[in-house]
Amino acid sequence: MKAFLILEDGTVFTGTSIGSTREVISEIVFNTSMTGYLEVLTDPSYAGQAVVMTYPLIGNYGICKEDMESSKPWPDAYIVRELSRLHSNFRSEGSIQDFLAENDIPGISGIDTRALTKILREKGTLNGMVTTNENFNLEETIAKIKTYTTGKVVEKVTCSEKRVLAGNGKKVALMDFGAKKNIAKSLNDRGCEVTIYPAATTAEEIIATNPDGIMLSNGPGDPQECTEIIKEIKKLYDSNIPIFAICLGHQLMALATGGDTHKMKYGHRGGNHPVKDLSTNKVYISSQNHGYVVDTDKMDPSIAEVSFVNVNDGTVEGLHYLGKNIFTVQFHPEASPGPQDSEFLFDEFIKMMEVSK
């Protein structure tokens, strides 16, 4: 069946429908990962977005549900150059086509994803529609597409109730703003007892449990939309409990302490982003998925200092909070998918909790 990707600038790509055939309008973003498509699909940070994979062949090793980063896929749509007709891997449990259809995720294959990515890089992130309707009115469709916003998506992806991963080590409270499974697993593998809390949990409830540390997770959307969460994070900051924050959590901590954020032209999404540790001058290759970034010029230098920067564009990739046991990073040390170069940051968090006690 034919499918169409219509961008808000009037560009139309024609391809083949994959997955569900329902029509969807979303924010179109691209990911440069060569593997890990299942982890990308099940990353809650993609809620409210449609993902373009720049690598041309997707689906060749099938689906292994053990590798899922959450209980279901989150993107509004999935866009690829070629969807593998055959999947071959000893762990495979099915095809990506069936996985998309089962989860009602529409998509399109057979389009020039290089050309599409160039448009997004040159013009910035655009809204778009994926549809199988051949009789669309372009002018009316573009008007509808332009009105789309991701809105408050953290509420959609957070857990509904708290749960505990048992451990004999440090007690960590994990705030779930759309947390990838491997964040909790990375802590649990190091012996931590991890209690995962819904995003709307109050600071008072968390502080009352006397955790050894607090983890602020990744998540989707504009951090400035999370006004109530930011207020609670400020209370956590004032509590002097050690805190480690990743991605959205990094941005929310900056906003809670007087900093600011802005939307990037097309964001960082993929498993090959170099970040430089300013304390050692070492460069690590990192997994990233974000469309917003912390502004350094609006951060009080007496509150926090930049600890990591992006080697490609110089944007802030990490902050160290002065006089506090708090550090935050924009990238994903838990990987999944992506390199594990920076997983040592979980060990640094464990050490920080030990020292603070």
Side-chain angles (χ1 to χ4, degrees):
M1 180 186 295
K2 268 189 181 180
F4 305 91
L5 170 63
I6 307 162
L7 301 181
E8 64 177 284
D9 69 349
T11 305
V12 178
F13 291 90
T14 303
T16 302
S17 174
I18 58 174
S20 167
T21 58
R22 70 183 175 90
E23 186 173 276
V24 67
I25 295 174
S26 192
E27 182 180 71
I28 314 297
V29 300
F30 64 87
N31 184 297
T32 58
S33 298
M34 296 174 69
T35 61
Y37 50 79
L38 180 60
E39 292 93 329
V40 169
L41 279 166
T42 54
D43 181 349
S45 293
Y46 283 113
Q49 297 175 324
V51 181
V52 181
M53 300 301 292
T54 61
Y55 191 69
L57 181 66
I58 297 295
N60 55 312
Y61 57 85
I63 294 292
C64 175
K65 293 184 178 177
E66 185 183 338
D67 296 337
M68 291 173 63
E69 281 300 305
S70 63
S71 60
K72 68 173 189 176
W74 289 100
D76 290 330
Y78 201 53
I79 302 161
V80 300
R81 175 70 184 92
E82 181 182 350
L83 199 71
S84 180
R85 290 173 296 170
L86 300 172
H87 55 95
S88 177
N89 187 282
F90 73 98
R91 298 173 70 234
S92 178
E93 299 169 36
S95 72
I96 191 170
Q97 163 69 20
D98 291 342
F99 182 75
L100 293 171
E102 287 164 10
N103 289 280
D104 199 26
I105 305 293
I108 183 169
S109 69
I111 70 166
D112 188 343
T113 49
R114 289 180 71 183
L116 173 56
T117 302
K118 285 179 74 174
I119 291 170
L120 298 176
R121 282 179 61 91
E122 289 164 8
K123 297 186 177 182
T125 300
L126 298 171
N127 291 343
M129 172 189 281
V130 174
T131 181
T132 57
N133 177 17
E134 297 187 35
N135 302 312
F136 61 85
N137 179 296
L138 186 59
E139 191 174 321
E140 292 177 3
T141 300
I142 289 172
K144 283 171 61 179
I145 291 171
K146 286 183 175 178
T147 63
Y148 175 81
T149 60
T150 57
K152 292 191 174 185
V153 278
V154 169
E155 291 88 339
K156 294 179 182 178
V157 300
T158 189
C159 58
S160 57
E161 57 187 13
K162 77 173 183 180
R163 60 190 179 91
V164 179
L165 300 179
N168 298 317
K170 298 296 181 184
K171 290 170 55 183
V172 177
L174 170 58
M175 294 296 294
D176 178 11
F177 306 134
K180 289 163 63 184
K181 181 177 70 176
N182 206 39
I183 293 177
K185 185 176 183 299
S186 295
L187 292 166
N188 200 224
D189 286 349
R190 288 165 171 79
C192 296
E193 176 187 287
V194 183
T195 304
I196 304 168
Y197 290 90
T201 305
T202 64
E204 288 81 3
E205 181 179 341
I206 292 168
I207 294 167
T209 65
N210 194 30
D212 296 303
I214 298 168
M215 185 95 214
L216 307 181
S217 84
N218 64 294
D222 182 348
Q224 294 188 22
E225 293 272 358
C226 303
T227 51
E228 294 305 311
I229 294 172
I230 291 167
K231 292 176 186 175
E232 299 305 313
I233 290 177
K234 179 61 169 70
K235 297 174 190 174
L236 296 177
Y237 170 87
D238 291 335
S239 72
N240 289 321
I241 298 170
I243 298 174
F244 178 22
I246 292 173
C247 201
L248 180 64
H250 155 81
Q251 297 162 5
L252 295 175
M253 178 58 75
L255 290 169
T257 53
D260 201 1
T261 59
H262 71 266
K263 189 171 186 177
M264 304 174 77
K265 187 176 181 182
Y266 49 80
H268 297 156
R269 298 176 181 88
N272 56 351
H273 291 265
V275 296
K276 184 177 182 180
D277 183 341
L278 297 182
S279 66
T280 63
N281 284 330
K282 287 184 179 179
V283 173
Y284 302 96
I285 303 302
S286 69
S287 175
Q288 301 200 12
N289 174 17
H290 63 102
Y292 292 83
V293 69
V294 173
D295 293 326
T296 47
D297 56 344
K298 295 181 181 175
M299 199 78 197
D300 185 342
S302 68
I303 291 178
E305 62 183 9
V306 177
S307 54
F308 288 89
V309 294
N310 189 288
V311 176
N312 290 333
D313 60 16
T315 52
V316 179
E317 292 283 1
L319 291 168
H320 169 248
Y321 285 78
L322 305 176
K324 293 279 186 177
N325 289 312
I326 299 174
F327 68 94
T328 70
V329 293
Q330 182 63 78
F331 51 94
H332 287 265
E334 84 288 351
S336 296
Q340 299 174 336
D341 293 29
S342 56
E343 66 177 358
F344 69 89
L345 291 171
F346 287 100
D347 299 317
E348 293 296 321
F349 182 44
I350 303 290
K351 289 176 190 173
M352 188 169 72
M353 288 189 285
E354 290 171 348
V355 170
S356 71
K357 286 294 183 181

